[in-house]
Structures are given as structure tokens and as C-alpha cells.
Amino acid sequence: PASVVTVDGVRANSPITNTAEVPIVVSAVSTATAAKPTSVILNPDDVVTNTFGASVRLENKDAVNAAECTVRVTAP
């Protein structure tokens, strides 16, 4: 497992939900094409609308489980 995962092909304005038990940082892979803000911390069960672009970076910042980041992508 890696602590950072990049997901390509994410739809604009789609919801990004943290279903984990730890906070994750969601950010734009390319800050040139992303709307503000370029990153946000999602606590467990938080939801944010994708304004980060088609490629989204997800990073597990948890000190205990920092080496783990699993992503599940679903379509609405």
C-alpha cells in the first residue's frame, strides 16, 4: 500500500467521500487547471465536490496508518 493514490478520469462536480476511518487530503494533481481551493482535508464521512480536476490526488496523513491508502471509485 502507498500513502498517496492518484485517480484519473474523475468527473467535475462529482462528490468525493471519505469512507475511511482516518483523515485524507484531497488535492489537484495539476494546480494550473484546478479551481480554488487546491486541497482540502476530509475527515471520516466528509464529502466534498470535485473542483480539483480530472486527476485527483488522495493522501493518507494518519500517523499510525500512513502507509495505507485504498481508493474505491464509483459512478453516481
Side-chain angles (χ1 to χ4, degrees):
S3 61
V4 177
V5 174
T6 299
V7 180
D8 295 320
V10 182
R11 289 183 191 173
N13 301 312
S14 62
I16 298 173
T17 306
N18 181 2
T19 60
E21 296 179 4
V22 297
I24 60 170
V25 176
V26 181
S27 59
V29 172
S30 171
T31 57
T33 60
K36 301 289 182 189
T38 57
S39 69
V40 67
I41 296 174
L42 285 185
N43 290 309
D45 299 320
D46 281 356
V47 179
V48 67
T49 300
N50 177 25
T51 59
F52 306 101
S55 294
V56 177
R57 182 177 187 262
L58 306 166
E59 183 175 1
N60 177 353
K61 294 296 238 180
D62 183 66
V64 175
N65 299 305
E68 298 179 17
C69 188
T70 303
V71 174
R72 180 179 64 211
V73 178
T74 60

